[in-house]
Amino acid sequence: MTKPQMILGMHLGNGYGSQGSAWRAPGVDPANYTSFDAQVRYARAAERGKFAFLFLPDFPGLQADVDHEAPSMTLEPMMTLAAIARATERIGLVATGSTSFTEPFNLARQFKALDVMSHGRAGWNAVTTSDPAAAANFGQALASRPDRYQRAHETIQIAQALWGSWEQDAWVKDQKTGRFAHPDKIQPINMQGGHVASRGPLPIPPSEQGQPVIFSAGGGANGLEIAGRYASGVIGATFTIDDARAQRQAYRDAAAKAGRNPDEIKFFAGVMPAIGRTTRAALDRRVQLAELTAGSRVPYLGSMLNLQLSPDQLDEPLTAQQLAAASPSPFDPRSPRALEVAREGWTIRDILAHGVIDYHPTPVGEASVTADHMQEWFDAGACDGFWVSIDINEDGIDTFVDEVVPILQERGVYHHDYDGTTLRDHLGAPAQYGLDPRLANPTL
């Protein structure tokens, strides 16, 4: 039997990298925040590594202390992916689009246009938005959680119905007879929910994959239901193999409950590698990036370890007394790893450079350390692949592609080339056009 192959996605954010101070790194143009050329360059590097997709998160507001750090998101994900679509050939293009503040017709139109433009490579990470500041940007108050998720169900179903409203064989484009399309095969959907509605049709024919692929990044019971009913990919956040395995199984169970094959949903764990020729070199790279912010993070590290820590101790290891008194906080799943690193004798600055308060696990050292981490999780059934978040995009994506990818390929857990041309091909997602007819108990 063919050995299972992990699937990789690449996180693209603000044009610098996942670390807030990446804009100050050597060799980085500080103006890359507005450079679509830089984003295209990074996308091409990821495509060279045969990544299945790019993932662009989004938040409709400002999420950074811009005194020292760049905003973490791209200027606008759909515009960014449109630029990338014209400069790449195979890599999938996945963007976050909020169901809370955008009408389903707009979402359906934008994502299907991107899908046609890219020849079947578009994916929609359909999420709700729970931040009051974001709601204020749209002149609205934040809706209740039940209302937000009910609107999400309605929005996704209406968008999918709109995608199918131009039937697959409707476009004749026969110059000899003068018939452009069959009007009876391009019909309104006339869907009305409690929160959103659309008449339709959407005047966009199918792409090579039919319609965009749905992704999900929500948690909890509501997020599980959204993913189980609609998603082919889940963008995960987890810090241990056991938790990742449990999350993956929960999504698979949710898909089965919705009447789908659990193998249709792929779970992607996050990883934020720190790669260097040695462990010290990898840490030095992160230390340099955290030059202005490390001190402010010391109190939070202390809360993770149930200690009172001061920035004055930044360049010293924890004392024997502190280590004896330390214990992992039950309120932060990263705490056991932070204590493990502290017990190795690193200074507090180096403990932070290990990424112990980053958003995903951070393997530190030469490329094989990252490859080992990924293979261990994959072989343990903790994920179907990873979304990789690089510290500094300018050189870090090439380093991952040139050093980590060949190791995974040599070990037989990662492909040497694309097996297809569409995002559905890359994910092994089934064909779908319009609403999924298998879906149990539709909400509209």
Side-chain angles (χ1 to χ4, degrees):
M1 294 179 63
T2 303
K3 190 173 184 178
Q5 304 277 290
M6 69 175 67
I7 305 169
L8 297 185
M10 177 68 72
H11 166 216
L12 278 189
N14 57 14
Y16 304 112
S18 65
Q19 298 297 301
S21 297
W23 69 276
R24 300 180 64 236
V28 173
D29 183 346
N32 275 355
Y33 180 52
T34 60
S35 174
F36 290 91
D37 291 337
Q39 297 283 31
V40 167
R41 187 165 66 249
Y42 304 146
R44 284 175 166 169
E47 188 170 61
R48 186 168 62 83
K50 314 305 177 185
F51 275 69
F53 61 91
L54 304 168
F55 171 57
L56 275 65
D58 192 39
F59 176 79
L62 188 63
Q63 272 192 313
D65 175 8
V66 293
D67 187 28
H68 297 300
E69 297 189 353
S72 60
M73 309 297 179
T74 185
L75 296 182
E76 204 286 322
M78 300 304 288
M79 295 292 287
T80 302
L81 288 180
I84 290 171
R86 304 302 295 162
T88 55
E89 296 179 354
R90 294 290 188 89
I91 196 164
L93 311 169
V94 181
T96 295
S98 173
T99 62
S100 299
F101 304 113
T102 310
E103 292 299 313
F105 188 88
N106 288 341
L107 287 164
R109 187 183 190 189
Q110 290 177 325
F111 278 95
K112 198 173 185 189
L114 178 65
D115 203 33
V116 169
M117 177 190 293
S118 64
H119 299 287
R121 294 186 282 138
W124 171 26
N125 180 39
V127 302
T128 64
T129 302
S130 59
D131 190 290
N137 286 336
F138 296 89
Q140 299 180 31
L142 194 65
S144 68
R145 179 182 292 268
D147 283 346
R148 292 198 304 272
Y149 277 96
Q150 179 60 28
R151 178 183 168 116
H153 281 286
E154 294 175 7
T155 299
I156 295 169
Q157 290 179 33
I158 289 174
Q160 290 189 325
L162 286 167
W163 289 339
S165 63
W166 180 301
E167 293 185 21
Q168 290 178 293
D169 60 349
W171 197 11
V172 180
K173 52 182 183 295
D174 188 329
Q175 291 177 315
K176 184 176 181 179
T177 65
R179 166 159 275 188
F180 184 74
H182 288 292
D184 58 335
K185 295 186 177 183
I186 306 171
Q187 293 292 324
I189 62 169
N190 293 318
M191 292 178 68
Q192 175 72 56
H195 300 273
V196 288
S198 180
R199 177 183 181 274
L202 183 69
I204 302 177
S207 73
E208 284 80 347
Q209 69 173 358
Q211 66 189 33
V213 178
I214 300 292
F215 276 65
S216 179
N222 291 308
L224 275 175
E225 185 180 10
I226 291 284
R229 291 167 69 89
Y230 314 109
S232 296
V234 172
I235 302 298
T238 179
F239 295 94
T240 68
I241 285 177
D242 288 344
D243 181 56
R245 190 188 290 116
Q247 286 194 38
R248 178 175 180 261
Q249 188 59 52
Y251 285 108
R252 290 173 60 84
D253 292 344
K257 183 179 179 180
R260 301 170 61 206
N261 182 342
D263 291 339
E264 294 177 18
I265 192 167
K266 302 297 192 295
F267 179 75
F268 298 97
V271 63
M272 303 181 80
I275 301 172
R277 292 186 306 276
T278 63
T279 299
R280 184 66 262 168
L283 289 175
D284 286 344
R285 177 181 172 95
R286 291 297 181 94
V287 164
Q288 183 181 28
L289 286 175
E291 175 189 5
L292 300 178
T293 58
S296 65
R297 295 181 174 184
V298 172
Y300 186 79
L301 176 64
S303 71
M304 293 170 69
L305 303 177
N306 287 306
L307 296 173
Q308 292 289 331
L309 296 181
S310 166
D312 295 339
Q313 197 183 345
L314 195 56
D315 291 307
E316 301 171 10
L318 270 63
T319 66
Q321 292 81 3
Q322 287 173 323
L323 287 172
S327 62
S329 168
F331 304 108
D332 192 321
R334 300 167 293 187
S335 298
R337 172 61 179 161
L339 183 55
E340 176 187 349
V341 174
R343 286 172 172 164
E344 292 174 359
W346 299 99
T347 66
I348 290 179
R349 191 184 300 274
D350 285 341
I351 294 169
L352 292 167
H354 275 82
V356 297
I357 60 175
D358 277 351
Y359 297 114
H360 303 284
T362 299
V364 179
E366 60 188 57
S368 61
V369 176
T370 295
D372 290 346
H373 169 91
M374 296 170 71
Q375 184 172 7
E376 181 184 11
W377 281 49
F378 181 68
D379 287 346
C383 59
D384 297 285
F386 297 85
W387 64 288
V388 182
S389 198
I390 297 295
D391 49 8
I392 306 168
N393 290 345
E394 190 64 38
D395 63 348
I397 298 177
D398 282 320
T399 296
F400 187 94
V401 168
D402 293 334
E403 299 184 18
V404 178
V405 165
I407 296 173
L408 297 173
Q409 290 171 330
E410 290 168 8
R411 295 177 181 179
V413 295
Y414 188 64
H415 61 194
H416 288 264
D417 203 354
Y418 292 105
D419 295 323
T421 61
T422 71
L423 180 54
R424 288 186 188 277
D425 291 336
H426 304 339
L427 299 178
Q432 181 178 338
Y433 199 66
L435 286 165
D436 187 342
R438 302 168 301 173
L439 211 60
N441 302 317
T443 60
L444 282 175

